[in-house]
Amino acid sequence: YDPVKADQFLTAELNNRASRQAKDQAEQMAAGKAQRVGDWPEWRGPNRNGTGISTAPLADSWPADGPKTVWVVRDLPSGGNSSPVVANGRVYVYIHQRQAKRDTVVCLDERTGDKLWQRDFPVSRVTLHEASGTPCIAAGRCLVMGARVCYCLNATSGVSIWAKDTGVTSTDPGLKNPDQEVCSSFAVAAGVAV
């Protein structure tokens, strides 16, 4: 391992990614689909680095007693909740209901908290933990890696586009328990869901 080469490689990759993102944003603007300032469409935000696009630090704009609560949703299923993501006026969350053996994806209206749609998918077994992979919203799709299955849904309607088993068997040497969930957060790079 050469830390200097690793740093050079990572710097080049970050520069390439920034260049691709600028190109993607220009293409989205031309197509009338520009990402809104304040959208948080995937794990750790639009650049996967924990920061927003062209926004001031949130804490600087909050009153001394914290931000005002705009809405609260209390009727979501109980389970392992992902980080919520926000895109195009909608909030998406993935919930793995371990005991109920169900993966659930919910879409809420960003302004009101009203549930726009909910999709439930059966899970073949009770898993070891309540998984919590964060959805990724890209190109009008909601990508979620559930406990053992990857889902691709239409981000507007919630209609299933495809579902794919991860292919990780219960005897895979990477699993410490045959009922362990296999869960992560999607990223999309150059049009490929990873």
Side-chain angles (χ1 to χ4, degrees), residues 90-174:
R90 293 165 178 254
V91 178
Y92 301 85
V93 67
Y94 160 67
I95 304 160
H96 174 61
Q97 299 171 70
R98 180 178 171 270
Q99 290 300 326
K101 298 195 297 188
R102 185 177 305 123
D103 283 334
T104 300
V105 182
V106 178
C107 176
L108 307 168
D109 183 284
E110 176 186 14
R111 290 178 301 104
T112 64
D114 292 341
K115 191 181 298 181
L116 300 174
W117 53 259
Q118 176 176 323
R119 299 298 175 262
D120 296 302
F121 304 95
V123 174
S124 61
R125 66 172 72 73
V126 173
T127 57
L128 187 61
H129 300 103
E130 292 186 328
S132 60
T134 298
C136 176
I137 310 303
R141 299 190 174 184
C142 175
L143 299 155
V144 177
M145 185 164 179
R148 288 285 185 136
V149 176
C150 301
Y151 309 103
C152 178
L153 309 171
N154 178 295
T156 303
S157 65
V159 170
S160 181
I161 297 170
W162 54 259
K164 176 116 175 99
D165 189 288
T166 61
V168 178
T169 66
S170 60
T171 58
D172 186 289

